[in-house]
Amino acid sequence: MPADPSARIALMRAFADMYRATQFERDGFDYAGETLRAMQHVHFGADRINRIRTYASNTFFLGASPLVRLDRYGNAAWLETGYDLRASLHAALAFLDTPRGRAFAATEPTAAPIARIRANLAALGERIG
């Protein structure tokens, strides 16, 4: 017998409420009446990403929000480097130094995420050498 869909939906809603209450800061995610609704779980190996699970609607990455566009560039860096952490690090830094990367860093709502990305890239660089 298949699982009760209403029970699964209730569980997902409970998880979403718990996640928002403990992890999710809406500042920077609400944009022009649109809230980003996606997440990724990334599983790391010693020197590469072993698996990425994306939870989003099938149209999420088609959105026009600057945050969605920024996420597409990040995903492309991982895919094009075969999930190798060192190569992804260099690709991300190279992108951030392009005119488009500097534009993301200079304007809202992407300026704060770019600052966090730069800090995360620096920490990754320290970890992997």
Side-chain angles (χ1 to χ4, degrees), residues 39-117:
M39 72 176 167
Q40 290 181 320
H41 286 121
V42 181
H43 302 265
F44 293 94
D47 63 350
R48 69 180 53 249
I49 297 168
N50 291 331
R51 182 177 64 204
I52 297 177
R53 285 189 178 172
T54 301
Y55 300 89
S57 73
N58 57 355
T59 60
F60 175 78
F61 291 104
L62 300 176
S65 162
L67 291 168
V68 173
R69 289 196 318 268
L70 175 60
D71 201 30
R72 283 195 304 255
Y73 283 103
N75 290 342
W78 284 346
L79 291 169
E80 291 169 5
T81 60
Y83 299 111
D84 181 277
L85 293 179
R86 186 169 277 107
S88 296
L89 170 67
H90 294 301
L93 290 171
F95 167 72
L96 292 176
D97 289 332
T98 66
R100 188 172 303 265
R102 288 191 297 273
F104 277 125
T107 57
E108 292 301 333
T110 53
I114 290 289
R116 286 192 304 273
I117 289 167

Side-chain angles (χ1 to χ4, degrees), residues 20-36:
R20 279 189 210 100
T22 60
Q23 303 287 329
F24 191 72
E25 296 176 21
R26 294 192 97 137
D27 295 342
F29 293 91
D30 286 333
Y31 183 74
E34 174 183 339
T35 300
L36 297 184

Side-chain angles (χ1 to χ4, degrees), residues 9-24:
I9 291 169
L11 181 62
M12 288 172 39
R13 285 186 179 144
F15 173 78
D17 290 342
M18 182 266 320
Y19 183 76
R20 279 189 210 100
T22 60
Q23 303 287 329
F24 191 72

